[in-house]
């Protein structure tokens, strides 16, 4: 499975993506967080193919970032 979590606190947004080992051949968590980070006003992010995280500053764009990740699956 794929887990996508957004959290906001103190005018900051964090995103974390986890991907099960069976799906890491097809999907890359780093790609997902980098795409979402650009949307929420961050600058990249990183991690591994199975888990990555990033941050940003625009809470109003969380739904847009989530929909973009869904479109990549």
């Amino acid at each position: 499975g794929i887990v996508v979590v957004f959290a906001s606190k103190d005018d900051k947004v964090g995103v974390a993506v986890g991907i099960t080992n069976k799906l890491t051949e097809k999907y890359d968590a780093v790609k997902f967080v980098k795409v979402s980070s650009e949307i929420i006003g961050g600058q990249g992010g990183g991690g591994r193919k199975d888990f990555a995280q990033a941050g940003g500053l625009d809470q109003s764009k969380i739904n847009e970032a989530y929909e973009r990740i869904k479109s990549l699956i």
Side-chain angles (χ1 to χ4, degrees):
I2 299 173
V3 177
V4 179
V5 177
F6 286 90
S8 61
K9 183 178 179 185
D10 299 330
D11 297 326
K12 294 181 184 176
V13 181
V15 58
V17 177
I19 300 178
T20 58
N21 288 335
K22 289 183 179 182
L23 293 177
T24 56
E25 299 263 333
K26 189 172 181 181
Y27 301 107
D28 185 348
V30 174
K31 179 180 178 183
F32 290 156
V33 297
K34 286 187 177 195
V35 166
S36 61
S37 177
E38 289 177 14
I39 294 170
I40 60 175
Q43 295 185 355
R48 305 179 310 264
K49 284 182 70 87
D50 65 332
F51 181 80
Q53 54 190 348
L57 300 172
D58 193 347
Q59 295 175 2
S60 69
K61 300 278 188 165
I62 290 174
N63 285 337
E64 181 183 339
Y66 179 68
E67 292 300 322
R68 179 72 173 117
I69 290 174
K70 282 184 10 182
S71 75
L72 297 173
I73 298 173

